[in-house]
Amino acid sequence: MYKFASTVLHTIFQKFGKQIVAIDKEKVPDEPYIVTCTHTGYVEVIMLALSLYPTEINYMAKKELFSKDWSDKFFHSLNAFPVDREKPGPSTLKIPVKLLNEGKSVGIFPSGHRAETGEAPLKRGAATIAVLSNKPIVPAAFEGPKQVKSIFGFRQKSFIKFGDPIDPNDFPSDMKKSEKIAKIMTLLEERTNTLQKEVTYIAQKSRQK
């Protein structure tokens, strides 16, 4: 269903205005990768998928979405898999690592939820998955409509800016796994913050024209 839905939406957007502006998409590697993006709602999920079309992205999604039989089937058909965002344990990491090793790409929204301590558990999860799979993380940031219904009005463009990949293979071979994870988390935080500022500025300038 993912391929069908993404193809239909991509065709509609191409025909009626090209409202998705993907900036620095050339930074996205041809090999399987983990893409992370800033996140406040479902709009980013849709727009990130369309900006990377025709590549299919397998998304981490909160386990609550899979609580019913129909919703479990529906979200799995859209290449989503459940994760306990409060307590992402070892079993949480097995699925994305397996997908990456099978040549598929994974999407994670590490800033979409924060625990009471203020720490984003999935940010460590994204870094850990990168290290375990030896696949790069491509950071991205979104600026655009906040509600899904708004994207079909074609009045406001959506902007997604991609950053330089963070590849665990670029680190020294004798570097400890825990050190790699910590370093990736720091780089991911820095690059995401920079990307968000840049894409917000670009969007604001575009609206002033």
Side-chain angles (χ1 to χ4, degrees):
M1 184 174 177
Y2 181 104
K3 185 174 182 178
F4 172 77
S6 61
T7 299
V8 169
L9 286 175
H10 182 264
T11 301
I12 291 173
F13 275 75
Q14 287 290 312
K15 185 176 181 179
F16 293 101
K18 297 183 179 180
Q19 296 297 304
I20 306 172
V21 181
I23 305 166
D24 295 333
K25 187 179 177 180
E26 67 276 5
K27 293 183 177 181
V28 178
D30 294 328
E31 64 178 305
Y33 54 84
I34 303 151
V35 60
T36 63
C37 188
T38 51
H39 177 58
T40 58
Y42 292 110
V43 172
E44 295 91 331
V45 179
I46 297 171
M47 292 308 192
L48 182 62
L50 291 178
S51 71
L52 291 169
Y53 181 88
T55 299
E56 292 192 22
I57 305 298
N58 296 266
Y59 286 114
M60 270 191 173
K62 60 182 180 180
K63 67 177 184 178
E64 291 80 5
L65 294 175
F66 300 79
S67 59
K68 307 292 185 181
D69 286 342
W70 68 267
S71 62
D72 181 81
K73 293 178 181 178
F74 175 72
F75 284 106
H76 272 108
S77 73
L78 292 176
N79 289 2
F81 56 93
V83 57
D84 186 342
R85 298 189 305 183
E86 294 288 351
K87 300 177 182 178
S91 60
T92 300
L93 306 179
K94 290 180 180 180
I95 297 174
V97 170
K98 182 175 182 291
L99 288 167
L100 289 160
N101 288 333
E102 290 175 350
K104 300 174 183 178
S105 293
V106 171
I108 303 175
F109 296 91
S111 60
H113 172 79
R114 291 184 180 274
E116 292 180 0
T117 60
E119 180 185 357
L122 288 187
K123 194 167 294 182
R124 174 174 288 278
T128 303
I129 291 166
V131 171
L132 292 177
S133 63
N134 283 319
K135 296 296 188 293
I137 292 181
V138 180
F142 172 86
E143 183 65 35
K146 303 302 180 185
Q147 297 181 328
V148 173
K149 63 180 181 181
S150 299
I151 68 178
F152 295 103
F154 301 104
R155 296 177 181 176
Q156 184 179 352
K157 289 183 179 180
S158 294
F159 295 83
I160 292 182
K161 194 172 193 301
F162 296 97
D164 293 322
I166 305 169
D167 194 336
N169 293 296
D170 291 339
F171 300 138
S173 58
D174 59 348
M175 195 174 185
K176 294 180 180 179
K177 183 172 73 173
S178 59
E179 294 174 338
K180 287 184 180 181
I181 292 172
K183 182 62 176 178
I184 291 174
M185 287 179 64
T186 299
L187 290 172
L188 182 59
E189 180 80 27
E190 292 174 350
R191 294 186 188 182
T192 300
N193 289 340
T194 298
L195 286 168
Q196 188 62 63
K197 292 176 183 177
E198 292 173 345
V199 76
T200 299
Y201 175 78
I202 292 170
Q204 289 174 344
K205 294 292 288 185
S206 175
R207 295 174 193 136
Q208 292 171 3
K209 293 180 180 179

